[in-house]
Amino acid sequence: MRINLVALIPGGIELSVPEGVEKTEIAPITENKSAPTGIQFSLFEGFKSKTNKVKPKVNKSLKKVAQKLDEREKLIKELEVTRPDKAKRLKVSDKWRFNEMRARGETALDDKRLVNRAIKRKNKQKEKSTRKWEERKQVVVSLREKREEKRKRNIEKRREIKKQHKVKRAKKRGVVLFSLR
């Protein structure tokens, strides 16, 4: 495995080479046109970048999140009566935890009011999509009924035309017909 340990400036000037490393172990890096300073620092081959990290699972169930917030709030209120110092530590640790989550770019679901709003919004969206689905089903049923009705009318017309045609031919031949269904 080759390790890149050198950065090159566009003019070809080598920057520092660590002591104890031979020149044969060093692989120069090509010039990077996208770097604003013109300097590209070396990377270690074989290591993956931090962008490939898997994000931790976030609890998607807002009802469970709201329930956990309620339980936590209830616990803190109980502790404020019995052990105020521990309640204060829990509040501070919660604030730190949620702020760390925000700093990592995760969603911190710590505001009960916002979680409840999100639950209502999600329920409204669900109701709306259910309503739309029912409407689509009704449209499909009505179109099918229209097609069936049109088909029945066309078949009936064809029967009538055939009957009239038979009557005409029979009259031409001189056959007397008393009743035709």
Side-chain angles (χ1 to χ4, degrees), residues 5-174:
L5 297 172
V6 176
L8 290 178
I9 297 177
I13 302 169
E14 260 186 43
L15 295 179
S16 64
V17 177
E19 292 179 20
V21 176
E22 296 179 22
K23 290 277 185 182
T24 57
E25 295 178 23
I26 297 172
I29 298 174
T30 59
E31 185 178 322
N32 184 3
K33 305 243 188 232
S34 64
T37 59
I39 298 174
Q40 179 182 2
F41 295 97
S42 62
L43 298 172
F44 291 106
E45 290 179 5
F47 292 101
K48 294 183 179 178
S49 66
K50 292 182 180 180
T51 56
N52 293 339
K53 278 188 177 177
V54 177
K55 288 187 177 180
K57 286 186 179 180
V58 177
N59 194 352
K60 303 259 180 180
S61 173
L62 293 173
K63 288 181 182 177
K64 286 183 182 178
V65 171
Q67 185 180 3
K68 283 186 179 182
L69 283 173
D70 286 339
E71 290 172 2
R72 190 71 170 188
E73 195 174 297
K74 191 176 180 182
L75 174 72
I76 289 175
K77 282 184 181 178
E78 289 175 4
L79 285 176
E80 281 177 347
V81 175
T82 57
R83 298 175 65 186
D85 57 328
K86 188 169 184 178
K88 189 175 181 180
R89 277 187 295 181
L90 276 177
K91 283 182 183 178
V92 170
S93 69
D94 281 352
K95 283 184 182 179
W96 272 103
R97 184 166 46 99
F98 287 123
N99 285 332
E100 284 175 353
M101 287 173 69
R102 284 188 187 94
R104 286 192 301 262
E106 299 171 16
T107 52
L109 301 170
D110 60 339
D111 191 355
K112 188 177 171 185
R113 193 182 83 239
L114 293 177
V115 171
N116 287 335
R117 273 191 203 166
I119 290 171
K120 285 182 183 177
R121 188 172 54 244
K122 196 173 182 181
N123 287 339
K124 282 183 183 178
Q125 184 65 32
K126 214 178 255 190
E127 289 172 8
K128 186 178 177 183
S129 65
T130 305
R131 224 179 307 120
K132 281 187 174 183
W133 178 251
E134 290 301 323
E135 288 173 5
R136 285 194 296 264
K137 281 173 49 177
Q138 287 296 326
V139 167
V140 167
V141 168
S142 66
L143 287 174
R144 185 175 59 221
E145 288 173 352
K146 284 180 183 177
R147 285 195 305 265
E148 287 174 0
E149 187 62 34
K150 186 177 178 182
R151 183 173 182 267
K152 284 180 184 177
R153 281 184 302 199
N154 289 339
I155 289 172
E156 193 60 37
K157 278 183 187 176
R158 216 175 295 133
R159 280 186 190 154
E160 289 297 319
I161 290 172
K162 281 185 180 181
K163 280 183 186 178
Q164 290 173 359
H165 185 66
K166 283 183 181 180
V167 169
K168 280 183 185 177
R169 283 181 43 196
K171 282 183 183 178
K172 251 186 188 177
R173 285 184 285 166

